[in-house]
Amino acid sequence: MAQLTVDIGGRPGLDCRGFCTYCYFKHAQEVPPFGCRYCLPFTKGCEYCTRSVQERYTGFKDLKEVAGDTLANLQLLSGDLTRITISGGGDPSCYPEFTDLIELLASLEAPLHIGYTSGKGFDDPAIADFLISSGLTEISFTVFAADPELRRRYMHDPTPETSLEIIKRLAGAIDVYAALVILPGINDGVVLTNTIRWLEDVGAKGVILMRFANTTVQGLILNNAPIIEQQRTQTVEEFADLVRQTKAITTMRISGTPLCDPDLGSPFAILEEPELQELLPRIHRRAAIITGTVAEPAIRAILTKKGDNTEVIPVQKEIADLITIEDLKALDLSLLPSTIVIPGRAFVHLAEAEEVLSADGKMRTVLRGPEMLTADGETSMGMDRDSVLALEMAGFSSLINLINQYGEE
Ligand code: SF4
């Protein structure tokens, strides 16, 4: 099974016909490399945490470059091509040579997938028929609301009726996942109910609700908070309630990020599976697990059942994957043992973390934990409960093995 990702480049907002009101990249500052899981041990900063994460592209790549990259990547693959995914920093619908790109990829005769589009660049409903006949099988489409005026106003979509017609045609033929960033007071309440009904009527497969973040604690790490002055935001729990209420009015798959997936009971579906928790190894060494405030209660609940040697310490950041060195600097070092595990995907360079967490003169070892302990709403959307549980079992087993291998005696 071979999958190909086709990166078309582009800059969020700038290659999207202007920024959506709520875009997380709005006001983004150029920040120094964060450090991450891909960095070399002695070098803070790699391609991923310097450019990719910050979507620092110069613009869309031209078609020749995309074709060249695609050909080169194809040669590295072995086995039958099972899926081609178009992705980039800019919006594929705004790619200047979009139809040529699709024709080129269609010639590879594998199912096509558009990882994300707002549709703001599509001005003719016939593009939907062209995409279907070119082998598009799945698309994630930002909807915001089924009310064209709200799309026009908040997404700056110049042709919102056309975009909605395209969603309708696509949803009647292929898998359409709708993404909705929820701005409380704007597209929740009755507007959300109407949008969900409309999506169900047109045949969308699922909806991902995304909580709007407006502060650094909520996850804006590009020095760009607030995105919208004075905009009300929801707590994580308020948002999870909204996701559950939305699920109650539809048969479509509904998931939310950062919480929750009501159909699967995730994140941390394992909390409801005591027999699976029994199968996890016991903890017999000591370490502190650093995480975000959303995951902390679940991780603590599971690890305390496996031994009383671990401390689960939340930083002032809701999402563990978005922890940066600044969050570690704020920790009270007197509480920390000599082995610390940070989230696998944290934007932190290990050498710097060790320096910061040993600043009181006590040398501490910092380890990177497993990449995932559970599936967030975006990941779980395409999964079933057994796969989520398998992922969680693998994540917790490797976390505990790490503690038992490197923790304090
Ligand atoms: S389409 Fe997406 S990336 Fe582009 S401005 Fe809107 S939210 Fe940002």
Side-chain angles (χ1 to χ4, degrees):
M1 212 173 84
Q3 303 199 2
L4 182 71
T5 299
V6 176
D7 182 358
I8 57 172
R11 300 151 297 175
L14 301 171
D15 293 311
C16 301
R17 286 192 161 174
F19 279 101
C20 299
T21 311
Y22 52 78
C23 180
Y24 294 152
F25 289 95
K26 213 164 76 174
H27 314 312
Q29 312 289 319
E30 213 169 276
V31 293
F34 291 111
C36 72
R37 62 193 189 279
Y38 301 119
C39 291
L40 293 170
F42 299 108
T43 313
K44 178 180 161 189
C46 63
E47 174 67 19
Y48 180 68
C49 66
T50 308
R51 274 166 50 86
S52 287
V53 169
Q54 302 186 38
E55 306 271 11
R56 275 202 224 158
Y57 296 94
T58 43
F60 280 127
K61 299 176 183 175
D62 69 26
L63 188 59
K64 244 198 221 151
E65 188 181 350
V66 175
D69 292 350
T70 303
L71 200 64
N73 290 336
L74 264 178
Q75 281 163 355
L76 299 175
L77 297 177
S78 55
D80 287 343
L81 191 56
T82 52
R83 178 169 162 127
I84 303 170
T85 302
I86 301 172
S87 78
D91 185 328
S93 71
C94 301
Y95 187 67
E97 297 159 284
F98 183 75
T99 49
D100 293 339
L101 171 74
I102 297 296
E103 275 167 6
L104 174 87
L105 298 177
S107 69
L108 299 175
E109 295 183 350
L112 266 180
H113 171 203
I114 296 181
Y116 162 81
T117 186
S118 70
K120 290 197 285 183
F122 295 144
D123 292 329
D124 180 356
I127 195 82
D129 312 314
F130 167 71
L131 285 168
I132 295 162
S133 62
S134 302
L136 187 75
T137 55
E138 187 181 318
I139 187 166
S140 297
F141 213 116
T142 297
V143 174
F144 190 70
D147 175 344
E149 281 319 306
L150 288 176
R151 266 187 74 92
R152 193 188 312 277
R153 184 153 166 213
Y154 288 92
M155 294 179 66
H156 304 139
D157 182 353
T159 53
E161 291 86 358
T162 303
S163 304
L164 292 167
E165 175 60 24
I166 291 167
I167 296 171
K168 187 173 165 187
R169 289 193 196 183
L170 290 174
I174 63 164
D175 292 347
V176 172
Y177 292 96
L180 282 72
V181 174
I182 299 296
L183 290 183
I186 311 289
N187 65 341
D188 56 351
V190 180
V191 176
L192 178 60
T193 306
N194 291 342
T195 302
I196 294 294
R197 296 224 166 100
W198 183 82
L199 286 166
E200 183 147 34
D201 286 349
V202 299
K205 184 118 177 147
V207 178
I208 302 173
L209 302 175
M210 304 166 110
R211 187 191 57 157
F212 173 65
N214 213 20
T215 64
T216 308
V217 168
Q218 290 169 335
L220 301 177
I221 59 172
L222 299 175
N223 268 342
N224 56 337
I227 301 288
I228 307 176
E229 294 276 356
Q230 310 287 324
Q231 171 62 46
R232 181 159 63 83
T233 55
Q234 294 152 304
T235 64
V236 171
E237 257 320 308
E238 283 168 348
F239 180 76
D241 283 345
L242 178 78
V243 177
R244 288 187 276 264
Q245 287 158 16
T246 307
K247 178 61 220 173
I249 61 166
T250 178
T251 53
M252 285 184 295
R253 278 281 281 127
I254 300 284
S255 73
T257 176
L259 289 174
C260 58
D261 189 325
D263 285 332
L264 307 187
S266 53
F268 301 108
I270 194 177
L271 281 172
E272 292 159 19
E273 301 284 345
E275 283 164 21
L276 284 182
Q277 293 176 37
E278 274 297 309
L279 299 175
L280 290 170
R282 290 209 54 81
I283 301 171
H284 52 78
R285 288 201 179 179
R286 180 165 180 243
I289 314 300
I290 307 290
T291 187
T293 50
V294 171
E296 182 250 342
I299 298 176
R300 182 191 299 278
I302 292 159
L303 294 187
T304 45
K305 285 189 193 152
K306 306 313 297 182
D308 45 22
N309 294 337
T310 42
E311 288 130 80
V312 181
I313 301 177
V315 296
Q316 283 303 306
K317 182 69 65 57
E318 292 181 349
I319 317 287
D321 286 357
L322 297 174
I323 287 175
T324 66
I325 196 70
E326 298 307 318
D327 299 311
L328 301 189
K329 284 180 184 165
L331 287 172
D332 178 354
L333 298 185
S334 68
L335 298 175
L336 299 180
S338 61
T339 305
I340 319 283
V341 183
I342 62 168
R345 293 183 175 180
F347 285 112
V348 172
H349 191 243
L350 277 188
E352 187 178 20
E354 285 191 336
E355 195 184 309
V356 165
L357 297 179
S358 305
D360 58 354
K362 176 175 170 178
M363 287 310 294
R364 294 185 175 86
T365 304
V366 181
L367 305 163
R368 203 173 274 285
E371 289 216 358
M372 292 169 96
L373 291 177
T374 187
D376 68 6
E378 279 178 88
T379 312
S380 68
M381 176 54 89
M383 298 172 81
D384 60 20
R385 186 172 159 87
D386 284 348
S387 334
V388 170
L389 286 169
L391 185 155
E392 293 178 356
M393 282 297 284
F396 276 97
S397 301
S398 80
L399 176 63
I400 294 173
N401 289 336
L402 197 68
I403 299 168
N404 286 342
Q405 193 173 354
Y406 297 102
E408 261 177 44
E409 294 273 5

